């Protein structure tokens, strides 16, 4: 089980001002609570308002993932850069132990190793390698959530489309952009969102944010 850091988070004034400015430029009030949290924090991490129309989320899936996360479900990341952005939860990253082979990238092998370690029910945060996301989709991982936001001109958009088609609980985006910072931000949005507020979230709805 991942280590949980329950102490209250102190928000720096610069972050508060950044979110205030974001909300003056983009109305996010129509989003359901957890969807809004994810959209805003992803935009904040990249200073890219276009994510408001590029992200694909599901409030019901986020509610269940939020509960699992705060109950201590493991968090798996594809690269250390994603792990570095998630400061309030221990994560599993097996990239250093992985090896490439015929038809298998190092990133894909790392996903296999991570699944052997954590089993079903984890939250998977993939922000770098499309092949990591592709490999996860071949496993019977039964994830609590897949944050699939790999970046790149080769395979990124396709792997995210495959994630959406899989029916797994997910956060993804339509375009080729993404990356470690935005993937970590999506997970952090769930970490930072209070449990009491999530319990009051609106009924499950599927929405393309």
């Amino acid at each position: 089980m991942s280590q949980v850091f329950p102490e209250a988070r102190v928000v720096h004034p610069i972050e508060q001002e950044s979110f205030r400015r974001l909300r003056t430029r983009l109305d996010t009030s129509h989003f359901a609570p957890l969807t809004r949290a994810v959209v805003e924090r992803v935009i904040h991490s990249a200073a890219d308002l276009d994510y408001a129309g590029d992200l694909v989320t599901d409030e019901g899936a986020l509610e269940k993932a939020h509960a699992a996360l705060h109950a201590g479900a493991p968090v798996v990341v594809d690269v250390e850069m994603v792990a570095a952005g998630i400061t309030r939860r221990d994560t599993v990253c097996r990239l250093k132990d992985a090896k490439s082979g015929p038809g298998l990238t190092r990133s894909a092998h790392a996903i296999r190793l991570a699944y052997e370690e954590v089993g079903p029910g984890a939250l998977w945060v993939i922000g770098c390698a499309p092949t990591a996301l592709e490999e996860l989709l071949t496993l019977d991982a039964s994830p609590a959530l897949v944050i699939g936001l790999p970046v790149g001109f080769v395979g990124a958009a396709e792997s995210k489309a495959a994630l959406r088609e899989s029916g797994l609980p997910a956060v993804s985006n339509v375009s080729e952009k993404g990356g470690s910072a935005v993937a970590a931000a999506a997970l952090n949005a769930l970490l930072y969102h209070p449990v009491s507020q999530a319990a009051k979230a609106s009924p499950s709805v599927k929405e393309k944010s």
Side-chain angles (χ1 to χ4, degrees):
M1 180 177 292
S2 297
Q3 182 180 351
V4 180
F5 300 97
E7 68 272 12
R9 176 173 176 266
V10 178
V11 180
H12 193 280
I14 293 176
E15 181 178 332
Q16 292 177 336
E17 175 62 13
S18 181
F19 273 87
R20 187 195 68 78
R21 294 188 186 189
L22 185 161
R23 290 164 185 156
T24 65
R25 298 177 62 180
L26 178 70
D27 181 8
T28 60
S29 62
H30 60 286
F31 290 121
L34 286 167
T35 296
R36 182 183 187 185
V38 169
V39 170
E40 288 188 344
R41 192 153 291 277
V42 165
I43 290 173
H44 174 263
S45 72
D48 187 348
L49 296 173
D50 288 345
Y51 273 110
D54 193 40
L55 286 168
V56 181
T57 64
D58 181 281
E59 184 71 10
L62 293 178
E63 291 173 4
K64 293 176 182 178
H66 181 270
L69 180 64
H70 286 270
V75 176
V76 182
V77 301
D78 62 331
V79 292
E80 292 290 350
M81 288 180 67
V82 176
I86 301 170
T87 59
R88 293 174 63 82
R89 176 62 66 88
D90 287 343
T91 61
V92 174
C93 181
R94 297 297 303 275
L95 191 60
K96 290 181 179 179
D97 306 314
K99 297 180 180 180
S100 62
L104 184 71
T105 67
R106 186 165 165 244
S107 295
H109 187 218
I111 293 299
R112 291 187 188 180
L113 294 175
Y115 177 62
E116 291 173 0
E117 178 177 343
V118 304
L123 288 88
W124 297 78
V125 189
I126 298 175
C128 181
T131 58
L133 182 52
E134 291 166 359
E135 181 64 24
L136 178 59
L137 296 179
T138 70
L139 304 175
D140 187 20
S142 299
L145 185 71
V146 180
I147 296 176
L149 296 170
V151 61
F153 293 117
V154 179
E158 294 83 357
S159 66
K160 290 178 278 194
L163 172 59
R164 291 189 292 277
E165 292 169 3
S166 74
L168 294 175
V171 173
S172 67
N173 70 306
V174 175
S175 72
E176 296 164 326
K177 64 185 177 182
S180 298
V182 296
L187 191 281
N188 285 336
L190 300 181
L191 275 175
Y192 300 162
H193 198 83
V195 175
S196 58
Q197 290 184 26
K200 300 176 183 177
S202 58
S204 299
V205 292
K206 186 169 185 177
E207 61 179 296
K208 179 176 180 295
S209 56

